[in-house]
Amino acid sequence: MTARLLDGQALARQIQREITPQVADFTRRQGRPPGLAIVLVGHHPASEVYVRNKLKAGSDVGFRADLERLPESASLADVLALVERLNRSDAHDGILVQSPLPKVLGPDAASRVFDAIAPEKDVDGFTPANVGRMVQGRPALVACTPSGIIELLVREGIPIAGRRACVIGRSDIVGKPMALLLLQRDATVTVCHSKTPDLAGVCREADIVVAAVGRAGLVTKAFVKPGATVVDVGMNTVTDSAVAASLFPEEHPKLARFRERGSVLVGDVHPEVADVAGALTPVPGGVGPLTVTMLMRNTLRAAQARLAGSW
Ligand code: NAD
């Protein structure tokens, strides 16, 4: 392996250390801590884990972090009423509605609920107001995963301005905001997706590749220019032994772990990429911890902006 590992976990801890005294200062001045409310509807095993991690991270930096749970049987009106109550709450500066919402709420439930969140409390950066502001380069609460990736690139000294960047994936929560943030930092950006012909060839031209697809090991050596920086957003649980064997050589500890547990967490980037890339984020321990930390930073910023009336 030749690629330098970009340690998202270490940077997340560093940013937490930066945030914590600011939270203490806010609490001392206001007589209350910044408040984060997380709305969880129904039971979704992965969401339970994500929400637990976010609540813990919130408490660790000194926030009031509240879980607002609704049952699987909740209606869309119930979810919207809860969001409205949190919009009016003085104790809460940030509101996050955990995705996915139960399917029974209907296909447009997520957009209806996100649209209902007050933009100044939208710490996920999903509301049209925040997305629009971000597109125009105005102050905004920006989606946590892409803003964490920018933070990582900047603090690791990886040049963005004037470089070619390729973002694979065009989702509203990762791919699109990622492309815009790279563009704002003067990269020349290409956005690739499931209909892009010659994906490997397009990616091979890039100095920075961000893979946000959700396909284990999609990005192979053939996608990567020697020395390029590769950011792996994907989080895929592999349970198929043939897929695990295609990703890891026989002696690899992750293959041993897969055989022990029957599953292994992998990114979108094939492990062989470490032989060509200049720098690479690991999975786990790369983008994931930064996403949670950016949520904390957004909540603190939302609290400070509400206080200053600067929204
Ligand atoms: P999504 O399903 O909404 O979007 C996936 C995108 O990939 C789509 O735009 C699609 O066009 C594109 N795509 C699908 N197949 C493709 C192919 N064969 N070639 C090229 N492009 C293809 O997913 P998402 O919400 O953006 O998440 C992407 C991945 O990132 C998932 O694995 C998700 O779990 C992970 N994720 C991780 C974090 C984190 O904090 N680490 C946060 C968000 C998402």
Side-chain angles (χ1 to χ4, degrees):
M1 174 169 132
T2 56
R4 174 162 68 98
L5 273 190
L6 302 175
D7 189 343
Q9 187 82 58
L11 177 56
R13 279 195 295 267
Q14 168 65 30
I15 296 172
Q16 270 172 29
R17 282 194 293 274
E18 294 165 12
I19 289 174
T20 305
Q22 296 180 54
V23 174
D25 185 55
F26 180 97
T27 307
R28 203 168 38 247
R29 285 165 190 257
Q30 297 312 309
R32 71 161 183 95
L36 171 66
I38 301 186
V39 176
L40 180 59
V41 187
H43 293 285
H44 188 273
S47 293
E48 300 276 347
V49 177
Y50 296 146
V51 164
R52 208 164 43 236
N53 289 343
K54 291 169 188 174
L55 290 169
K56 180 175 182 316
S59 312
D60 285 351
V61 294
F63 291 163
R64 167 182 174 158
D66 294 330
L67 175 59
E68 299 280 349
R69 207 182 250 284
L70 286 175
E72 190 81 36
S73 58
S75 65
L76 183 55
D78 294 333
V79 186
L80 292 170
L82 174 55
V83 169
E84 276 312 320
R85 174 167 71 72
L86 294 169
N87 281 344
R88 289 191 304 271
S89 163
D90 272 341
H92 295 102
D93 305 285
I95 303 169
L96 178 154
V97 178
Q98 184 64 42
S99 298
L101 290 170
K103 285 202 168 62
V104 289
L105 293 179
D108 63 345
S111 52
R112 297 239 347 238
V113 171
F114 292 139
D115 285 359
I117 298 172
E120 66 272 23
K121 295 190 177 187
D122 166 32
V123 285
D124 254 340
F126 291 168
T127 58
N130 275 309
V131 174
R133 281 166 169 254
M134 189 261 298
V135 170
Q136 294 182 343
R138 296 156 69 187
L141 291 165
V142 177
C144 299
T145 302
S147 59
I149 292 169
I150 293 289
E151 196 72 35
L152 182 68
L153 295 175
V154 169
R155 297 210 194 196
E156 289 284 347
I158 291 164
I160 302 175
R163 302 300 160 114
R164 297 284 297 265
C166 179
V167 179
I168 320 174
R170 56 176 161 183
S171 71
D172 289 341
I173 63 167
V174 190
K176 282 182 202 160
M178 184 76 250
L180 281 156
L181 293 181
L182 288 163
L183 180 65
Q184 273 161 12
R185 289 186 175 260
D186 299 324
T188 299
V189 185
T190 306
V191 184
C192 297
H193 46 79
S194 52
K195 305 279 191 299
T196 301
D198 187 20
L199 184 61
V202 176
C203 289
R204 215 164 40 237
E205 292 184 5
D207 305 295
I208 299 169
V209 176
V210 180
V213 178
R215 293 265 175 110
L218 173 81
V219 176
T220 59
K221 268 184 188 177
F223 285 57
V224 179
K225 177 163 82 174
T229 296
V230 180
V231 177
D232 192 353
V233 184
M235 292 206 296
N236 311 294
T237 304
V238 170
T239 52
D240 181 329
S241 54
V243 176
S246 74
L247 291 171
F248 302 108
E250 192 51 41
E251 68 284 2
H252 200 286
K254 285 205 173 174
L255 193 56
R257 205 170 313 148
F258 172 82
R259 286 180 177 143
E260 217 177 280
R261 298 184 187 170
S263 70
V264 63
L265 178 70
V266 300
D268 290 346
V269 177
H270 196 290
E272 69 177 20
V273 167
D275 297 335
V276 259
L280 176 64
T281 62
V283 175
V287 173
L290 283 170
T291 297
V292 177
T293 304
M294 287 298 122
L295 176 67
M296 302 306 125
R297 200 171 75 176
N298 274 355
T299 304
L300 175 63
R301 285 184 175 171
Q304 291 167 334
R306 271 182 77 218
L307 187 66
S310 61
W311 169 257

